[in-house]
Amino acid sequence: MLNYETHEYDVLVIGAGGAGLRAAIEAAATRLSVGLVCKSLLGKAHTVMAEGGIAAALANVDQRDDWKVHFTDTMRGGQYVNNWRMAELHAKEAPACVRELEAWGALFDRTQDGRILQRNFGGHKYPRLAHVGDRTGLEMIRTLQDHGIHQGIEVHMECTVVTLLQDDGRVVGAFGYDRERGRFRVFRAKAVILATGGVGRAYKITSNSWEYTGDGHSLAYHAGADLMDMEFVQFHPTGMVWPPSVRGILVTEGVRGEGGVLRNREGRRFMFDDIPELYRNQTSDNEEEGWRYTQGDPDARRPPELLTRDHVARCIVREIKEGRGSPHDGVFLDIAWIKERLPTAEDHIRRKLPSMYHQFKQLAGIDITKEAMEVGPTTHYVMGGIRVDADTQMSNVPGLFAAGECAAGLHGANRLGGNSLSDLLVFGKRAGRYAAEFAAEHGAGTIDEAQIESTATWALRYFESNGSAPTEAENPYRVQADLQDMMQDLVGIVRTESDLRKGVEALRDLAGRAQRVTVPGNREYNAGWHTALDLRHLLTVSEAIALAALERKESRGAHFREDYPDKDENEARENIIVRKGPDGEMQVTREALPATRSDLQTVIEEMQ
Amino acid sequence: MVMATFKLWRGDRDAGRFEDYQTDITEGMVVLDAVHQIQAEQAQDLAVRWNCKAGKCGSCSAEVNGSPKLMCMTRCSDIPLDKPVSIEPMKAFPLIKDLVTDVSWNFQVKKRIKPFKPRQPDADDGTWRMAQADIDRVQEFRKCIECFLCQDVCHVLREHQMHDAFIGPRFFVYGASLEMHPLDIENRLGDLKDSDGIGYCNITKCCTKVCPEDITITDNAIIPLKERVVDEFYDPLQKLFRIFRPRG
């Protein structure tokens, strides 16, 4: 008989970053019992890495801003394949969510008249990002954490979910293990919210930590939920490139918001060379105007460095490919130059970008107030994810909700910087509210013991003491690294049909190798075992990304197909859906994008 | 590239020892990279916490050659590699396995501290007004990434194991961030004096020295809190005042 601990809640939240914490707080406010499970310690989730700010049309700095402009910016940034309803809710509800954080103790940087200061960011028409220097994510997660621990939420730290438990289709709980002892745990719940973040560990160069193996995407997929838009993976244009061991670590867009510029090895500001039609009216065509924009001149247009991330990343790749890159295969990001304009530039940089200053000083030996940084694209975020109802965040599987990065819809083909933190708050809150409602209306389901037994057997077979043939044994870290190399090469920023097909083929081979993984040692805090168990999720999301990327035969936002380099309006009328077929195979289908409500369509057209 | 030897602490609650591992060090590598390399190639079941690898999450705290550090921010080029580099878990907390310690006590302590309680909003729309100058000092405290290195070096916790009577530097910083928050109206001075044990701190500044976020823990957080506690409970003049002016 299998030994496991059982916990019972009305609502179970999986993941304790911004979305998970916000969801748990909201669900707990209804006085239902709430459990929160997270793979790391509380407060360490990837939200802590967010630097730039939270996008919300507070209009504290520029009074022309309102939800309509934010909505339009989000749709334009997402190349109009966003879920319009989510974009509407997000733009309307983000300001209240930011003010709520302040009421819970967050201390944002201030305007002269004492209100929340907002800064410029790529693709946002007006200064819109509430921020704290360049450590906004830390402020946000700490505020939610410190508020959340007093709301009666039961937290299970360092605990990983392996599968969702189902009763006749409905999700009624989750099964996992605690990392410390490797003991199995069953969580029974009337409703489950996935808030597990992204999939960055599927790639070699990434800003994401070990946790981001697509757990939520994969758990939902295997439970029968639809995944949508998985081809849209955001490569942030500015990650560190040197030294090799720090490759991929994020360099905030805030550097460009504060006046930082991109140059190639010839010293040319290459972003002026290619300004997309969609943004021509909003973008400055000379350096002088661009500088004035970053300094808050309301009549100036944004510099081309602040175009959307997909475009900036592609321009950087082009410069490197054509031989104009920096010594270590990147380009130069220069903030030190502003000393030509500001007498107090050094202090200003250290005050506005303290953690960037620190990061480069300590990890690369570079003083960013004096020298240019070297940067290149890094896997940062997945726009695609679990398909959810815009209002309630429930997936097509009853009782299963999703919020934050693991949910799809809001960001379309490309996410604007700053829209992630606001996404976590707005839709975390909604998921919490509607999951609680669902829990109140439904009784507890029945747990399937057979499902628990078979999952446990699967999880334990990785131990070498369980007798796999040692000649064929695979190292889990090796398999993971090979998968990351392959995805980087074949399913990365620039894609072609033949590469993608090779990628799908390679995934089959990797799946075979993953079967042969064995790990030494016992169940106690065994990182090798944890890595082996996460491989299943990585393989699932990698396959979903590759198949969706094959299916979308156009280039849009973050998805760039060299063999279909242009946008195709027919392709843009459909979402690519990935779901598990009856025989366990991955199916790819298309579904028509819901038509934008007419009043919102008018808003978009008026702001062209 | 150089070959370096790392002595990693391997063990669990019951027993442990240093084990030697040799690994190649290339340009720019940090200690955490070396540990990961060893883990992937030679010690798959090695337990080590990490997340952001950029000094922002405070997960990979350990003692490198005896000094408390974030492994992700310690460059191999800054430590002598001609002799073995020792890496040990933090000492102020019980060991779980290898480099991972049980830091759950910290989370329990935080829960005991009275939470943020704001004054009534300043404006009709439910918002507040605060000057940047008034929040600068609290923003310093809010930089804390909860790596618990300050707790690790504090002798009250490390040597005297007074976890029941003393909350440690991290939570004085937390307390200061609440007490000096311009909107907060809660009073935590009684707790600081009694259950939090602020009197046990004899300002040796060990915590300040190891803070990877350069928070001036002792001077900016602990000493001002001590002064507030003294003013509130030990100042004879204040005491007199209070006799004649009962608090509302």
Side-chain angles (χ1 to χ4, degrees), chain A residues 88-370:
Chain A
E88 178 195 15
L89 291 169
H90 169 253
K92 282 182 172 167
E93 294 174 7
C97 286
V98 171
R99 288 196 279 265
E100 197 167 53
L101 284 185
E102 184 155 277
W104 295 344
L107 277 175
F108 296 103
D109 289 351
R110 317 307 294 181
T111 60
Q112 289 294 337
D113 64 347
R115 293 183 298 167
I116 296 172
L117 181 62
Q118 297 179 275
R119 69 153 51 118
N120 285 313
F121 234 58
H124 292 282
K125 191 165 183 191
Y126 301 120
R128 188 176 283 145
L129 270 67
H131 62 277
V132 187
D134 56 2
R135 56 159 192 89
T136 315
L138 173 65
E139 187 70 13
M140 176 160 143
I141 199 165
R142 201 65 83 229
T143 302
L144 291 170
Q145 175 190 344
D146 295 350
H147 181 74
I149 57 173
H150 298 287
Q151 310 307 312
I153 301 160
E154 218 168 277
V155 183
H156 300 265
M157 296 196 288
E158 301 202 305
C159 190
T160 304
V161 169
V162 179
T163 192
L164 296 173
L165 300 171
Q166 286 178 282
D167 176 4
D168 196 21
R170 179 188 156 199
V171 166
V172 293
F175 175 71
Y177 60 92
D178 70 83
R179 297 166 61 79
E180 181 177 339
R181 297 278 179 123
R183 288 167 302 205
F184 290 123
R185 292 197 191 179
V186 168
F187 301 95
R188 305 187 58 166
K190 295 170 187 162
V192 173
I193 301 171
L194 295 169
T196 54
V199 306
R201 293 308 279 184
Y203 290 86
K204 182 182 175 190
I205 302 171
T206 178
S207 63
N208 289 190
S209 87
W210 69 271
E211 294 195 284
Y212 298 90
T213 46
D215 298 19
H217 295 80
S218 160
L219 292 170
Y221 166 84
H222 289 291
D226 290 353
L227 301 182
M228 184 172 95
D229 297 342
M230 291 300 286
E231 68 276 26
F232 297 126
V233 176
Q234 179 166 76
F235 299 92
H236 192 290
T238 58
M240 292 177 80
V241 297
W242 191 259
S245 67
V246 300
R247 188 158 195 148
I249 295 179
L250 194 66
V251 180
T252 177
E253 195 165 317
V255 175
R256 285 168 282 148
E258 297 296 339
V261 299
L262 292 166
R263 295 185 203 279
N264 61 22
R265 74 182 326 151
E266 295 152 8
R268 181 177 174 76
R269 275 181 74 180
F270 55 88
M271 289 307 300
F272 278 109
D273 299 344
D274 180 9
I275 296 168
E277 204 44 54
L278 201 55
Y279 284 94
R280 195 168 298 281
N281 293 337
Q282 302 184 358
T283 310
S284 61
D285 50 15
N286 64 81
E287 300 193 7
E288 185 53 40
E289 184 181 3
W291 167 251
R292 282 194 282 115
Y293 176 90
T294 64
Q295 299 311 298
D297 179 346
D299 298 323
R301 293 172 300 173
R302 72 163 74 91
E305 276 86 359
L306 289 176
L307 284 162
T308 53
R309 289 175 174 177
D310 52 340
H311 180 75
V312 180
R314 268 196 304 281
C315 289
I316 292 175
V317 170
R318 181 195 64 212
E319 291 302 305
I320 298 168
K321 239 182 183 167
E322 295 176 5
R324 294 186 296 275
S326 62
H328 301 105
D329 275 345
V331 294
F332 294 108
L333 172 61
D334 186 7
I335 181 82
W337 82 276
I338 68 171
K339 57 179 176 265
E340 295 166 20
R341 307 281 182 140
L342 289 179
T344 58
E346 288 193 17
D347 278 351
H348 182 79
I349 294 166
R350 274 200 290 267
R351 192 164 46 80
K352 282 294 185 182
L353 303 162
S355 66
M356 285 304 105
Y357 175 77
H358 194 62
Q359 182 173 312
F360 273 89
K361 190 96 187 158
Q362 214 146 335
L363 295 176
I366 282 178
D367 180 347
I368 66 168
T369 68
K370 298 197 166 68

Side-chain angles (χ1 to χ4, degrees), chain B residues 209-226:
Chain B
K209 278 180 214 133
V210 298
C211 178
E213 286 291 309
D214 296 324
I215 300 170
T216 331
I217 301 174
T218 318
D219 291 356
N220 290 358
I222 298 181
I223 292 175
L225 285 182
K226 278 176 173 272

Side-chain angles (χ1 to χ4, degrees), chain A residues 459-568:
Chain A
L460 292 175
R461 76 191 181 98
Y462 286 103
F463 287 101
E464 63 189 9
S465 51
N466 284 4
S468 277
T471 47
E472 291 180 23
E474 291 276 359
N475 171 333
Y477 301 98
R478 188 73 256 152
V479 176
Q480 193 196 58
D482 289 347
L483 181 142
Q484 292 166 338
D485 280 341
M486 186 283 289
M487 289 294 285
Q488 190 77 36
D489 288 347
L490 301 176
V491 195
I493 304 183
V494 178
R495 299 164 174 176
T496 64
E497 169 136 2
S498 65
D499 279 356
L500 291 169
R501 289 204 184 283
K502 275 187 229 158
V504 173
E505 204 51 47
L507 282 168
R508 292 216 176 96
D509 178 52
L510 285 160
R513 289 176 58 194
Q515 300 276 344
R516 299 194 297 275
V517 160
T518 60
V519 292
N522 60 32
R523 284 161 69 174
E524 297 201 0
Y525 219 114
N526 186 333
W529 184 41
H530 305 158
T531 304
L533 293 175
D534 289 345
L535 276 176
R536 178 184 186 228
H537 299 317
L538 269 184
L539 285 160
T540 301
V541 293
S542 298
E543 188 181 357
I545 294 167
L547 290 180
L550 258 176
E551 181 69 21
R552 185 171 288 281
K553 295 182 175 54
E554 65 160 344
S555 292
R556 179 174 298 272
H559 174 63
F560 185 77
R561 286 281 301 259
E562 207 166 45
D563 42 356
Y564 299 93
D566 300 315
K567 280 191 248 189
D568 177 341

Side-chain angles (χ1 to χ4, degrees), chain A residues 431-452:
Chain A
R433 182 193 317 159
Y434 289 101
E437 222 166 72
F438 185 95
E441 288 163 2
H442 293 79
T446 309
I447 296 293
D448 178 2
E449 291 292 337
Q451 193 191 350
I452 292 174

Side-chain angles (χ1 to χ4, degrees), chain A residues 40 44 49 99 107 109-110 114 139 143 146 158 180-181 209-210 245 359 362 475 477 524 528, chain B residues 13 28 33 40 44 49-53 56-57 75 97 110 127 130 132 139 142 145-146 181:
Chain A
S40 284
K44 309 295 184 195
M49 288 288 284
R99 288 196 279 265
L107 277 175
D109 289 351
R110 317 307 294 181
E139 187 70 13
T143 302
D146 295 350
E158 301 202 305
E180 181 177 339
R181 297 278 179 123
S209 87
W210 69 271
S245 67
Q359 182 173 312
Q362 214 146 335
N475 171 333
Y477 301 98
E524 297 201 0
Chain B
R13 291 165 195 79
D33 293 321
Q44 288 185 39
R49 280 198 185 102
W50 70 283
N51 282 82
C52 76
K53 215 176 156 310
K56 294 189 172 69
C57 76
R75 293 179 78 179
K97 186 184 152 190
K110 188 184 250 187
T127 61
M130 287 177 269
Q132 183 65 42
Q139 284 187 332
R142 293 183 67 90
I145 56 175
E146 300 198 329
H181 193 301

